Amino acid sequence: MSGLAVLRSTVEWAAQYGSSGRRAVLSVGNFDGLHLGHQKILRQVIERAQTLQGIAGVITFDPHPLKVLRPGKAPPMVETMNQRMEQFAAMGLEAALVLRFDRALAALSPEEFVHGVLVEELKTAAVLVGQNFHFGHRQEGDVDTLTQLGQRFGFSVEIIDPVVIDGEFVSSTGVRGAIAEGRVADAARLLGRPFSLTGEIIRGAGRGATVLFPTLNLAAEQELLPKVGVYATETLLDGRVYRSATNVGFRPTFDGTLLGVESHLFDFSRELTKGRLEVRFWERLRDERKFSGPAELRAQIAADLRETRDYFRRRDGAATQPVRS
């Protein structure tokens, strides 16, 4: 995460920036998935920070506030915290303040949060948020509250309009719904990139030899998995991207009971049982189903691989088409 300072407390922020004389230009939120709406806000944070010669930063929370306040209502996270930080870094933010969300933080009134954190600790010059921003105890603060407090304490507030695609407001809820329903192509449109699972390679059941299509098995770190099924994917391994076909499911042909993520990588023949893996989901091909035995399964996997190659061939062709004016 070159260039991004990841700070875990306002004390760390002060140690990093307290003597610089620079003020913070911030957005505040959970930013799960860092979709196109989030990206629009953060691009403007960076632009404003450049204008003011300030610190382009973001405040986010760990864990998600609902995991503390209403665990039964907490949504599954689209990304890990590490993925979130990588996305912040890729956008060009200078600093990310990751506040531990606990009952004490939740008890702060909107004014206490603004004065104690934004003003006294971070010396904030500007805050940029979306229209639905809420903060403080019981989410009592909204954009009007923030604007009034900004006027009172000497920082500017800018409310950023949402991103709308095909009549749909881009939101983390929309991203989660698309992934959970297997609509990974829709999720990619909302995210501006494919949804991805990361984690360690684990040893599989050894059935690759049975069906003659070896796979790499992933222990996913994410809380949210795509709907059970077969997908056209890309797999990042040791710095190289491989086209791949991925099954998310229970292996019903072999009476499996544990949910697994296994990918067959094109142009790859190594046997691996450890290491890091990232699987990027582009298109859902079909539901997972039970076959009569290994022979029928083998034939279906061969068809899945052909369909995956066709998908990427079409995508590559579309990417090379000239733009007509």
Short mmCIF file of all heavy atoms in Angstrom, two decimals, residues 149-190:
data_model
loop_
_atom_site.label_atom_id
_atom_site.label_comp_id
_atom_site.label_asym_id
_atom_site.label_seq_id
_atom_site.Cartn_x
_atom_site.Cartn_y
_atom_site.Cartn_z
N LEU A 149 -22.49 22.31 11.89
CA LEU A 149 -21.31 22.19 12.74
C LEU A 149 -20.06 22.69 12.02
O LEU A 149 -19.17 23.27 12.64
CB LEU A 149 -21.14 20.73 13.18
CG LEU A 149 -22.19 20.23 14.18
CD1 LEU A 149 -22.07 18.71 14.36
CD2 LEU A 149 -22.05 20.93 15.52
N GLY A 150 -20.01 22.47 10.71
CA GLY A 150 -18.89 22.99 9.94
C GLY A 150 -18.84 24.51 9.99
O GLY A 150 -17.76 25.12 10.16
N GLN A 151 -19.98 25.14 9.85
CA GLN A 151 -20.04 26.60 9.92
C GLN A 151 -19.62 27.09 11.31
O GLN A 151 -18.93 28.10 11.44
CB GLN A 151 -21.46 27.07 9.61
CG GLN A 151 -21.87 26.83 8.16
CD GLN A 151 -23.35 27.07 7.92
OE1 GLN A 151 -24.14 27.22 8.87
NE2 GLN A 151 -23.75 27.11 6.65
N ARG A 152 -20.00 26.33 12.31
CA ARG A 152 -19.69 26.72 13.70
C ARG A 152 -18.21 26.55 14.02
O ARG A 152 -17.61 27.40 14.69
CB ARG A 152 -20.53 25.88 14.64
CG ARG A 152 -20.29 26.13 16.12
CD ARG A 152 -21.26 25.30 16.92
NE ARG A 152 -20.92 25.24 18.32
CZ ARG A 152 -21.52 24.45 19.21
NH1 ARG A 152 -22.53 23.67 18.82
NH2 ARG A 152 -21.15 24.43 20.46
N PHE A 153 -17.61 25.46 13.52
CA PHE A 153 -16.23 25.14 13.91
C PHE A 153 -15.19 25.46 12.84
O PHE A 153 -14.00 25.21 13.02
CB PHE A 153 -16.12 23.66 14.30
CG PHE A 153 -16.84 23.31 15.57
CD1 PHE A 153 -17.93 22.45 15.55
CD2 PHE A 153 -16.44 23.86 16.78
CE1 PHE A 153 -18.59 22.12 16.72
CE2 PHE A 153 -17.09 23.54 17.97
CZ PHE A 153 -18.19 22.67 17.94
N GLY A 154 -15.62 25.98 11.70
CA GLY A 154 -14.64 26.50 10.75
C GLY A 154 -14.11 25.52 9.72
O GLY A 154 -12.95 25.63 9.32
N PHE A 155 -14.93 24.58 9.29
CA PHE A 155 -14.54 23.74 8.15
C PHE A 155 -15.69 23.70 7.15
O PHE A 155 -16.86 23.90 7.51
CB PHE A 155 -14.14 22.32 8.58
CG PHE A 155 -15.22 21.53 9.26
CD1 PHE A 155 -16.14 20.78 8.53
CD2 PHE A 155 -15.32 21.51 10.65
CE1 PHE A 155 -17.13 20.04 9.15
CE2 PHE A 155 -16.31 20.76 11.29
CZ PHE A 155 -17.23 20.03 10.54
N SER A 156 -15.38 23.48 5.90
CA SER A 156 -16.40 23.46 4.86
C SER A 156 -16.97 22.06 4.71
O SER A 156 -16.31 21.05 5.02
CB SER A 156 -15.82 23.93 3.53
OG SER A 156 -14.84 23.04 3.06
N VAL A 157 -18.20 21.98 4.23
CA VAL A 157 -18.88 20.71 4.00
C VAL A 157 -19.41 20.70 2.58
O VAL A 157 -20.05 21.67 2.14
CB VAL A 157 -20.04 20.49 5.00
CG1 VAL A 157 -20.82 19.22 4.64
CG2 VAL A 157 -19.49 20.41 6.42
N GLU A 158 -19.14 19.62 1.86
CA GLU A 158 -19.66 19.48 0.49
C GLU A 158 -20.42 18.17 0.39
O GLU A 158 -19.89 17.11 0.77
CB GLU A 158 -18.51 19.51 -0.52
CG GLU A 158 -19.01 19.50 -1.95
CD GLU A 158 -17.89 19.72 -2.96
OE1 GLU A 158 -16.77 20.10 -2.54
OE2 GLU A 158 -18.15 19.50 -4.17
N ILE A 159 -21.64 18.25 -0.11
CA ILE A 159 -22.49 17.07 -0.27
C ILE A 159 -22.39 16.62 -1.73
O ILE A 159 -22.73 17.38 -2.64
CB ILE A 159 -23.95 17.36 0.11
CG1 ILE A 159 -24.01 18.10 1.46
CG2 ILE A 159 -24.75 16.07 0.14
CD1 ILE A 159 -23.32 17.38 2.59
N ILE A 160 -21.96 15.39 -1.94
CA ILE A 160 -21.71 14.86 -3.28
C ILE A 160 -22.93 14.07 -3.75
O ILE A 160 -23.43 13.19 -3.04
CB ILE A 160 -20.46 13.97 -3.30
CG1 ILE A 160 -19.28 14.69 -2.64
CG2 ILE A 160 -20.13 13.54 -4.73
CD1 ILE A 160 -18.90 15.99 -3.28
N ASP A 161 -23.39 14.38 -4.95
CA ASP A 161 -24.53 13.66 -5.52
C ASP A 161 -24.17 12.20 -5.76
O ASP A 161 -23.02 11.87 -6.08
CB ASP A 161 -24.95 14.29 -6.85
CG ASP A 161 -25.56 15.67 -6.67
OD1 ASP A 161 -26.10 15.94 -5.58
OD2 ASP A 161 -25.49 16.48 -7.62
N PRO A 162 -25.16 11.31 -5.65
CA PRO A 162 -24.89 9.88 -5.87
C PRO A 162 -24.62 9.59 -7.34
O PRO A 162 -24.94 10.39 -8.23
CB PRO A 162 -26.19 9.21 -5.41
CG PRO A 162 -27.24 10.26 -5.58
CD PRO A 162 -26.56 11.56 -5.28
N VAL A 163 -24.04 8.43 -7.59
CA VAL A 163 -23.86 7.93 -8.95
C VAL A 163 -25.07 7.08 -9.29
O VAL A 163 -25.51 6.24 -8.49
CB VAL A 163 -22.56 7.10 -9.06
CG1 VAL A 163 -22.46 6.42 -10.43
CG2 VAL A 163 -21.34 7.98 -8.81
N VAL A 164 -25.62 7.29 -10.48
CA VAL A 164 -26.79 6.54 -10.93
C VAL A 164 -26.43 5.80 -12.22
O VAL A 164 -25.92 6.40 -13.16
CB VAL A 164 -28.00 7.47 -11.18
CG1 VAL A 164 -29.21 6.67 -11.63
CG2 VAL A 164 -28.32 8.28 -9.93
N ILE A 165 -26.68 4.49 -12.25
CA ILE A 165 -26.43 3.67 -13.44
C ILE A 165 -27.74 2.99 -13.82
O ILE A 165 -28.32 2.24 -13.02
CB ILE A 165 -25.34 2.63 -13.18
CG1 ILE A 165 -24.00 3.31 -12.88
CG2 ILE A 165 -25.18 1.69 -14.39
CD1 ILE A 165 -22.88 2.34 -12.58
N ASP A 166 -28.20 3.25 -15.04
CA ASP A 166 -29.44 2.65 -15.55
C ASP A 166 -30.59 2.85 -14.55
O ASP A 166 -31.38 1.93 -14.29
CB ASP A 166 -29.25 1.15 -15.84
CG ASP A 166 -28.27 0.92 -16.97
OD1 ASP A 166 -28.11 1.81 -17.81
OD2 ASP A 166 -27.64 -0.16 -17.00
N GLY A 167 -30.66 4.05 -13.98
CA GLY A 167 -31.75 4.38 -13.06
C GLY A 167 -31.56 3.87 -11.64
O GLY A 167 -32.42 4.09 -10.79
N GLU A 168 -30.44 3.21 -11.36
CA GLU A 168 -30.20 2.64 -10.03
C GLU A 168 -29.11 3.44 -9.31
O GLU A 168 -28.04 3.68 -9.86
CB GLU A 168 -29.75 1.18 -10.15
CG GLU A 168 -29.37 0.53 -8.82
CD GLU A 168 -28.81 -0.87 -8.97
OE1 GLU A 168 -28.72 -1.36 -10.12
OE2 GLU A 168 -28.46 -1.48 -7.95
N PHE A 169 -29.42 3.85 -8.07
CA PHE A 169 -28.40 4.50 -7.26
C PHE A 169 -27.35 3.48 -6.84
O PHE A 169 -27.69 2.41 -6.32
CB PHE A 169 -29.03 5.12 -6.01
CG PHE A 169 -29.87 6.34 -6.29
CD1 PHE A 169 -31.24 6.24 -6.43
CD2 PHE A 169 -29.27 7.59 -6.44
CE1 PHE A 169 -32.02 7.36 -6.71
CE2 PHE A 169 -30.03 8.72 -6.71
CZ PHE A 169 -31.41 8.60 -6.85
N VAL A 170 -26.12 3.78 -7.08
CA VAL A 170 -25.04 2.87 -6.71
C VAL A 170 -24.87 2.90 -5.20
O VAL A 170 -24.70 3.97 -4.60
CB VAL A 170 -23.73 3.27 -7.41
CG1 VAL A 170 -22.58 2.36 -6.95
CG2 VAL A 170 -23.89 3.20 -8.92
N SER A 171 -24.90 1.73 -4.57
CA SER A 171 -24.81 1.64 -3.11
C SER A 171 -24.17 0.31 -2.72
O SER A 171 -24.15 -0.65 -3.50
CB SER A 171 -26.20 1.73 -2.47
OG SER A 171 -26.97 0.58 -2.81
N SER A 172 -23.67 0.26 -1.48
CA SER A 172 -23.12 -1.00 -0.97
C SER A 172 -24.21 -2.06 -0.89
O SER A 172 -23.95 -3.25 -1.14
CB SER A 172 -22.49 -0.78 0.41
OG SER A 172 -21.35 0.06 0.31
N THR A 173 -25.43 -1.65 -0.55
CA THR A 173 -26.55 -2.60 -0.49
C THR A 173 -26.79 -3.22 -1.87
O THR A 173 -27.00 -4.43 -2.00
CB THR A 173 -27.82 -1.90 0.00
OG1 THR A 173 -27.59 -1.39 1.31
CG2 THR A 173 -28.99 -2.87 0.03
N GLY A 174 -26.75 -2.39 -2.91
CA GLY A 174 -26.93 -2.89 -4.25
C GLY A 174 -25.82 -3.84 -4.68
O GLY A 174 -26.07 -4.86 -5.34
N VAL A 175 -24.60 -3.52 -4.29
CA VAL A 175 -23.46 -4.39 -4.60
C VAL A 175 -23.63 -5.74 -3.91
O VAL A 175 -23.47 -6.80 -4.52
CB VAL A 175 -22.14 -3.73 -4.19
CG1 VAL A 175 -20.98 -4.72 -4.33
CG2 VAL A 175 -21.87 -2.48 -5.02
N ARG A 176 -23.97 -5.70 -2.62
CA ARG A 176 -24.14 -6.96 -1.88
C ARG A 176 -25.24 -7.82 -2.49
O ARG A 176 -25.11 -9.04 -2.61
CB ARG A 176 -24.47 -6.67 -0.41
CG ARG A 176 -23.34 -6.05 0.37
CD ARG A 176 -23.68 -5.95 1.85
NE ARG A 176 -22.74 -5.09 2.53
CZ ARG A 176 -22.98 -3.83 2.92
NH1 ARG A 176 -24.17 -3.31 2.71
NH2 ARG A 176 -22.04 -3.13 3.51
N GLY A 177 -26.35 -7.18 -2.86
CA GLY A 177 -27.45 -7.93 -3.46
C GLY A 177 -27.05 -8.59 -4.76
O GLY A 177 -27.39 -9.76 -5.01
N ALA A 178 -26.32 -7.87 -5.59
CA ALA A 178 -25.89 -8.43 -6.87
C ALA A 178 -24.96 -9.62 -6.66
O ALA A 178 -25.10 -10.66 -7.33
CB ALA A 178 -25.18 -7.35 -7.70
N ILE A 179 -24.03 -9.52 -5.74
CA ILE A 179 -23.11 -10.62 -5.48
C ILE A 179 -23.84 -11.83 -4.92
O ILE A 179 -23.66 -12.97 -5.37
CB ILE A 179 -22.00 -10.17 -4.52
CG1 ILE A 179 -21.13 -9.09 -5.18
CG2 ILE A 179 -21.13 -11.36 -4.08
CD1 ILE A 179 -20.20 -8.38 -4.22
N ALA A 180 -24.70 -11.59 -3.92
CA ALA A 180 -25.41 -12.70 -3.28
C ALA A 180 -26.32 -13.43 -4.26
O ALA A 180 -26.55 -14.64 -4.12
CB ALA A 180 -26.23 -12.17 -2.10
N GLU A 181 -26.82 -12.72 -5.27
CA GLU A 181 -27.70 -13.34 -6.27
C GLU A 181 -26.92 -13.89 -7.47
O GLU A 181 -27.51 -14.40 -8.41
CB GLU A 181 -28.71 -12.30 -6.77
CG GLU A 181 -29.70 -11.88 -5.68
CD GLU A 181 -30.51 -10.65 -6.06
OE1 GLU A 181 -30.44 -10.24 -7.25
OE2 GLU A 181 -31.20 -10.10 -5.18
N GLY A 182 -25.60 -13.79 -7.43
CA GLY A 182 -24.78 -14.30 -8.51
C GLY A 182 -24.66 -13.37 -9.70
O GLY A 182 -24.06 -13.73 -10.71
N ARG A 183 -25.20 -12.16 -9.59
CA ARG A 183 -25.13 -11.20 -10.69
C ARG A 183 -23.80 -10.44 -10.62
O ARG A 183 -23.74 -9.24 -10.43
CB ARG A 183 -26.32 -10.25 -10.63
CG ARG A 183 -27.67 -10.92 -10.83
CD ARG A 183 -28.83 -9.93 -10.84
NE ARG A 183 -29.11 -9.38 -9.51
CZ ARG A 183 -28.81 -8.15 -9.12
NH1 ARG A 183 -28.21 -7.32 -9.96
NH2 ARG A 183 -29.11 -7.73 -7.91
N VAL A 184 -22.73 -11.20 -10.82
CA VAL A 184 -21.41 -10.61 -10.64
C VAL A 184 -21.08 -9.58 -11.72
O VAL A 184 -20.30 -8.65 -11.47
CB VAL A 184 -20.31 -11.69 -10.56
CG1 VAL A 184 -20.49 -12.54 -9.30
CG2 VAL A 184 -20.31 -12.57 -11.81
N ALA A 185 -21.65 -9.72 -12.92
CA ALA A 185 -21.44 -8.70 -13.96
C ALA A 185 -22.07 -7.38 -13.53
O ALA A 185 -21.49 -6.30 -13.76
CB ALA A 185 -22.02 -9.17 -15.28
N ASP A 186 -23.25 -7.44 -12.90
CA ASP A 186 -23.88 -6.22 -12.38
C ASP A 186 -23.04 -5.63 -11.25
O ASP A 186 -22.87 -4.41 -11.15
CB ASP A 186 -25.29 -6.52 -11.88
CG ASP A 186 -26.26 -6.83 -13.00
OD1 ASP A 186 -25.97 -6.46 -14.15
OD2 ASP A 186 -27.30 -7.46 -12.73
N ALA A 187 -22.52 -6.49 -10.37
CA ALA A 187 -21.67 -6.01 -9.28
C ALA A 187 -20.44 -5.29 -9.84
O ALA A 187 -20.04 -4.24 -9.32
CB ALA A 187 -21.25 -7.18 -8.39
N ALA A 188 -19.85 -5.83 -10.89
CA ALA A 188 -18.67 -5.21 -11.49
C ALA A 188 -18.99 -3.82 -12.04
O ALA A 188 -18.18 -2.90 -11.95
CB ALA A 188 -18.10 -6.10 -12.59
N ARG A 189 -20.20 -3.66 -12.59
CA ARG A 189 -20.61 -2.35 -13.10
C ARG A 189 -20.72 -1.33 -11.97
O ARG A 189 -20.36 -0.16 -12.13
CB ARG A 189 -21.95 -2.46 -13.83
CG ARG A 189 -21.87 -3.15 -15.17
CD ARG A 189 -23.24 -3.48 -15.74
NE ARG A 189 -24.14 -2.34 -15.80
CZ ARG A 189 -25.25 -2.21 -15.07
NH1 ARG A 189 -25.61 -3.16 -14.21
NH2 ARG A 189 -26.01 -1.16 -15.19
N LEU A 190 -21.22 -1.77 -10.83
CA LEU A 190 -21.38 -0.87 -9.69
C LEU A 190 -20.05 -0.56 -9.00
O LEU A 190 -19.85 0.52 -8.45
CB LEU A 190 -22.35 -1.46 -8.67
CG LEU A 190 -23.76 -1.79 -9.19
CD1 LEU A 190 -24.60 -2.42 -8.09
CD2 LEU A 190 -24.45 -0.54 -9.73
#
